[in-house]
């Protein structure tokens, strides 16, 4: 089945630790996105990538980093510089300009 | 800059009632796209509709309908004869030519009581 796979479903971060959230798609989409969801605040854009080896900052990129070495993969690293990382993280992909397809999300919490 | 406002934080209705979710957007572009997504308790967002700025026709899909009015920058969503399975958070979103990513509203949580 085609779709977007996010892993892990739940992730815990210790103080000062970097953690990486995985996002893989087999839809052959060029564009991929990372959104953060906090209660009552909707979805906010962290990073997005239109093509391999290229990505742009979104509205809340500070404390996060990404890479796009393969079309299928767009991992997100939450660095120790992100002081409030607890949130629900959603990955999405699309054919440029069309609707976004979303993964099932990763809940990140701080220990 | 683009902006989407969903002023209704939470709505509670009884099954079979009709309910309208409001969405107001801001953009300087003449070409843009509007979307509605549903987020059930599982967390994954489900696409409902995409509408471009040149098509102001209302859309009906089963119990769902959408009213797009450029004059008031609104793209409202109505569920007719609501059901318990409609309980979810609903998001309105905008994409214009200024940014190739969706800007989402803060969402409206709909609770349909049996």
């Amino acid at each position: 089945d085609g779709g977007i796979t996010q892993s892990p479903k739940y992730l815990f971060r210790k103080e000062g630790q970097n953690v990486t959230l995985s996002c893989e798609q087999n839809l052959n989409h060029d564009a991929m996105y990372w959104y953060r969801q906090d209660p009552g605040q909707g979805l906010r854009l962290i990073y997005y990538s239109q093509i391999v080896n290229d990505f742009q900052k979104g509205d809340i990129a500070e404390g996060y980093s990404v890479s796009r070495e393969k079309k299928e993969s767009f991992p997100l690293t939450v660095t120790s510089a992100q002081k409030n990382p607890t949130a629900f993280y959603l990955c999405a992909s699309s054919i440029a300009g069309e609707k976004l397809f979303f993964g099932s999300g990763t809940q990140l919490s701080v220990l | 800059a683009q902006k989407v406002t969903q002023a209704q934080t939470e709505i509670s209705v009884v099954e079979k009632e009709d309910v309208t979710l409001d969405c107001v957007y801001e953009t300087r572009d003449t070409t843009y796209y509007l979307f509605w997504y549903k987020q059930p308790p599982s967390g994954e967002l489900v696409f409902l509709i995409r509408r471009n700025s040149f098509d102001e026709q209302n859309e009906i899909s089963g119990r769902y309908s959408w009213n797009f009015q450029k004059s008031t920058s609104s793209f409202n969503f109505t569920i007719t004869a609501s059901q318990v399975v409609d309980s979810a958070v609903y998001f309105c979103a905008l994409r214009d030519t200024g940014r190739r990513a969706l800007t989402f509203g803060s969402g409206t949580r709909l609770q349909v009581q049996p």
Side-chain angles (χ1 to χ4, degrees), chain A residues 4 12 16 26 50 56 62 66 71 78 83 86 103 105 107 110:
Chain A
I4 300 176
F12 298 90
N26 60 5
Q50 299 294 312
Q56 290 78 40
E62 186 174 350
V66 294
K71 188 175 185 178
V78 184
K83 298 306 180 186
T86 297
Q107 177 64 51
V110 177

Side-chain angles (χ1 to χ4, degrees), chain A residues 9 33 35 37 40-43 45 48 50 59 88 90 97-100 102-104, chain B residues 33 35 37 39 42-45 47 50 91 95 99-107:
Chain A
K9 190 172 179 65
Y33 312 81
Y35 285 89
Q37 184 177 16
Q41 293 193 39
L43 278 70
L45 182 66
Y48 63 106
Q50 299 294 312
D59 300 316
F88 188 58
L90 284 158
E98 298 297 321
K99 66 181 181 182
L100 269 62
F102 283 85
S104 55
Chain B
Y33 299 86
F35 301 77
Y37 280 84
Q39 186 179 39
S42 62
E44 185 171 339
L45 269 75
F47 168 81
R50 171 183 179 266
F91 291 98
R95 186 180 71 80
R99 182 165 81 171
R100 298 190 178 195
L102 298 191
T103 297
F104 283 84
S106 56

Side-chain angles (χ1 to χ4, degrees), chain A residues 2-110:
Chain A
I4 300 176
T5 302
Q6 288 189 244
S7 61
K9 190 172 179 65
Y10 300 97
L11 186 59
F12 298 90
R13 194 192 88 168
K14 294 181 180 178
E15 201 73 34
Q17 185 182 42
N18 293 352
V19 292
T20 297
L21 285 61
S22 171
C23 178
E24 303 278 334
Q25 56 101 356
N26 60 5
L27 299 168
N28 199 33
H29 288 169
D30 288 314
M32 296 188 74
Y33 312 81
W34 275 105
Y35 285 89
R36 169 177 170 147
Q37 184 177 16
D38 295 279
Q41 293 193 39
L43 278 70
R44 292 183 290 168
L45 182 66
I46 305 173
Y47 270 98
Y48 63 106
S49 168
Q50 299 294 312
I51 56 173
V52 174
N53 292 322
D54 187 42
F55 47 82
Q56 290 78 40
K57 294 181 179 180
D59 300 316
I60 55 167
E62 186 174 350
Y64 300 96
S65 66
V66 294
S67 63
R68 187 85 188 277
E69 298 176 0
K70 298 186 300 181
K71 188 175 185 178
E72 303 79 18
S73 179
F74 192 40
L76 173 73
T77 297
V78 184
T79 74
S80 57
Q82 173 50 247
K83 298 306 180 186
N84 184 23
T86 297
F88 188 58
Y89 291 86
L90 284 158
C91 178
S93 72
S94 74
I95 297 171
E98 298 297 321
K99 66 181 181 182
L100 269 62
F101 291 79
F102 283 85
S104 55
T106 293
Q107 177 64 51
L108 175 62
S109 302
V110 177

